[in-house]
Amino acid sequence: MTRSAFPVDHVFAPKCWANSVNLSLLSLLTMSTEATNQDRLSNAIQSLSRNNTEPPTSVPEQTTKKGELWSYYLYYVGNNGLAGFNFGPSQFQNLLFLAGYDPTHEPFTVPCNNNGCVLPYLGKVRDVNSIVLLTNGLSFAIQAMLLLAIGAWADYGRWRPNITIFFTLLAVCISFAWLGVDTPDQWRAGIALYILGLISYQCSLTFWTAAFPGLARSLPEVQKSLSEVKTRNKSLESHANFESLSRNRISNISFTVCSVGEVIILAVMVGILKLLKSDESTENNTKAFSVLIAFSGGVWLLCATPWFFLEQRRVGLKLPPGTNFLTVGFIQVYIAFKECMKLKQTLSYLIFYFLMGDVLNTTVTVIATLQNSVVAYSTLQLTLLLIVGIAAQAIGVYIFWLAQKKFKISTKAMLSFNVFWIIILTMWGLVGVHTDKFGFKHVWEIWVYQLFYGLMVCPWYAYSQTMISEVSPLPQMFLFFALFSVVGKTSAFIGPFVSSAIITASGNNNNMPFAFLFGLSVASTVFLLMVDIEKSRKECDAFVEAEETRKAFGTDM
């Protein structure tokens, strides 16, 4: 799974991680002009050819058409995460709160209040926030195994468009199913919809994202540039930079179209909430959640349909000999991990990526559960918060990129600066362990958090991915991205499991997981500081030369 969307399991934060797929490619442009040279590109051609992939000097058969490209942008507007990633999880927690009871009284005699809120779940009475985290972990565990098994199908054969359609339709059906789940006694059904909604959203985004490189490579201007390389009128390195610029343009337009489209959708939702009078009663508010989820699903289907028909079925990579669609994903990750052990800098970053990814994924999920409680699950408040978050993330990621471009700051330095603010985020929550005055306990903090997260934290999802490319051998880049993707999926479900256990063991102190997350964030930063980019480039170049004779990336394992 080489070009998947990157995992993060926050429940009601801006969807910057998905948009960062685009920004990470934008950042790759800066990286590629620094780290790539003619020799490495030549090595890439030889290695790719040896692995039965399409060499970069062959012109793609299909040409990307304007309608196809804009249908790609439009799909992203529909697949905005509002159904399965934002309102779905919030409705799930809302139903748990309404169905739960005060733990200081007999079960189900006193409704949830400031004394806490618990429910029996998986053989134990648990705090509702603990239940959300545990269920979230289960969802990402399933995602990890599923995408490990079928994620590589995005690269091989012609399966990918069909898989995108399947998961999109599944996600839309789940969105509409929420219309039948809008009372507290249906919280168990909410568990199923919550898990399935997250899985279908993540998988559809993963396989849609995988279409991006083919679209960019098939642009008419890129094909023309490639033809000039074949006729020796342009160098291969110049063509690589030109293609990067083209990818950058698509990325920026995609990000802009999605952001504008999502704000419009949220504005319409505000009108829907006014019509439903969601603020007048708990019942109205609960029904409004389900209506918003269904509306998001309908918009998704409307925006996705043109892409289903206009996307051209481009030929993927050929399966290596001795593999099949059921084994290629596991073999791909196994090879990448085995080879990664020989690259010290890459291994150090892999450890950091696993630990810090776990920290951030879990931190934002814990904050989201606190946020829902603080705003009393108000659909209107959550919608307005999301609008602010989207605006903040757009400003944040571009400020980071412009600063990097203007002052020529390295990717590692930008990532280190970003990591500092992630540590601050865990400290913010840690303060709330022993006080109610601070630590995501007040509405004003939630508004500040949305701004802080968008401006200072969101760039993580771009720079952490760009760093992968800086510490990976260019010819085997797709294998190493597959490895990091699986590592990211794994960290996405471990953290919520641990945090759920911590909440239960601490007597339902919902801020206690921040103690674990703060310590882990500091420890993981040590591995980032150990990474030396210059040493990594030398290691990767030596690695590529060794692979020319050893052919470790063949299929004779």
Side-chain angles (χ1 to χ4, degrees), residues 30-50:
T30 304
M31 177 280 300
S32 64
T33 57
E34 298 172 352
T36 303
N37 54 48
Q38 189 72 31
D39 292 336
R40 296 185 70 188
L41 286 168
S42 298
N43 288 336
I45 297 173
Q46 297 172 16
S47 179
L48 288 170
S49 299
R50 187 171 65 247

Side-chain angles (χ1 to χ4, degrees), residues 375-504:
V375 302
Y377 305 97
S378 168
T379 50
L380 182 59
Q381 281 259 44
L382 291 172
T383 302
L384 295 175
L385 283 167
L386 193 54
I387 292 175
V388 171
I390 292 171
Q393 77 173 44
I395 296 171
V397 292
Y398 279 105
I399 285 179
F400 266 67
W401 181 73
L402 289 174
Q404 182 186 24
K405 182 180 179 181
K406 179 177 178 61
F407 299 106
K408 301 186 185 303
I409 306 172
S410 69
T411 300
K412 180 185 174 182
M414 294 297 296
L415 181 60
S416 300
F417 178 72
N418 177 246
V419 164
F420 169 78
W421 296 108
I422 295 175
I423 295 174
I424 294 297
L425 190 62
T426 62
M427 293 175 62
W428 185 349
L430 182 59
V431 174
V433 170
H434 299 296
T435 180
D436 290 329
K437 296 181 179 180
F438 196 69
F440 308 108
K441 304 290 183 73
H442 306 279
V443 174
W444 69 264
E445 283 187 272
I446 302 304
W447 286 97
V448 173
Y449 161 70
Q450 289 291 339
L451 291 171
F452 177 87
Y453 181 82
L455 293 173
M456 308 307 299
V457 178
C458 270
W460 153 269
Y461 304 106
Y463 290 108
S464 64
Q465 298 300 316
T466 302
M467 271 290 290
I468 297 174
S469 61
E470 295 216 13
V471 297
S472 301
L474 185 61
Q476 289 85 26
M477 191 76 71
F478 77 98
L479 286 171
F480 282 86
F481 264 94
L483 174 62
F484 277 83
S485 179
V486 171
V487 166
K489 292 294 181 190
T490 304
S491 69
F493 71 79
I494 292 178
F497 283 156
V498 174
S499 296
S500 175
I502 290 174
I503 290 175
T504 301

Side-chain angles (χ1 to χ4, degrees), residues 264-415:
I264 293 174
I265 292 170
L266 288 168
V268 173
M269 286 182 171
V270 172
I272 293 174
L273 293 175
K274 294 295 184 181
L275 291 175
L276 294 175
K277 300 179 180 180
S278 62
D279 284 347
E280 291 189 0
S281 68
T282 300
E283 290 75 14
N284 286 0
N285 187 69
T286 302
K287 290 182 181 298
F289 264 125
S290 294
V291 171
L292 293 186
I293 296 168
F295 176 74
S296 298
V299 172
W300 188 354
L301 180 61
L302 182 65
C303 293
T305 300
W307 175 244
F308 294 163
F309 291 99
L310 295 178
E311 181 188 9
Q312 299 182 65
R313 301 299 179 103
R314 293 175 173 83
V315 179
L317 306 180
K318 295 180 181 179
L319 281 173
T323 65
N324 56 53
F325 280 108
L326 296 179
T327 63
V328 66
F330 297 96
I331 293 175
Q332 187 181 69
V333 173
Y334 166 74
I335 294 175
F337 183 76
K338 183 179 69 174
E339 300 305 315
C340 182
M341 300 299 291
K342 303 169 185 174
L343 301 168
K344 294 181 180 179
Q345 306 305 315
T346 307
L347 182 61
S348 293
Y349 184 68
L350 181 67
I351 296 172
F352 161 78
Y353 184 80
F354 174 84
L355 296 176
M356 187 56 76
D358 190 18
V359 169
L360 184 55
N361 293 339
T362 309
T363 296
V364 183
T365 302
V366 173
I367 294 173
T369 59
L370 297 173
Q371 172 180 279
N372 287 333
S373 300
V374 170
V375 302
Y377 305 97
S378 168
T379 50
L380 182 59
Q381 281 259 44
L382 291 172
T383 302
L384 295 175
L385 283 167
L386 193 54
I387 292 175
V388 171
I390 292 171
Q393 77 173 44
I395 296 171
V397 292
Y398 279 105
I399 285 179
F400 266 67
W401 181 73
L402 289 174
Q404 182 186 24
K405 182 180 179 181
K406 179 177 178 61
F407 299 106
K408 301 186 185 303
I409 306 172
S410 69
T411 300
K412 180 185 174 182
M414 294 297 296
L415 181 60

Side-chain angles (χ1 to χ4, degrees), residues 162-198:
N162 295 331
I163 299 174
T164 303
I165 293 173
F166 170 78
F167 280 113
T168 301
L169 294 179
L170 176 61
V172 170
C173 290
I174 292 168
S175 299
F176 289 133
W178 275 105
L179 289 173
V181 180
D182 56 6
T183 56
D185 61 303
Q186 296 174 309
W187 66 273
R188 292 179 180 84
I191 294 174
L193 295 182
Y194 172 73
I195 292 176
L196 290 173
L198 283 176

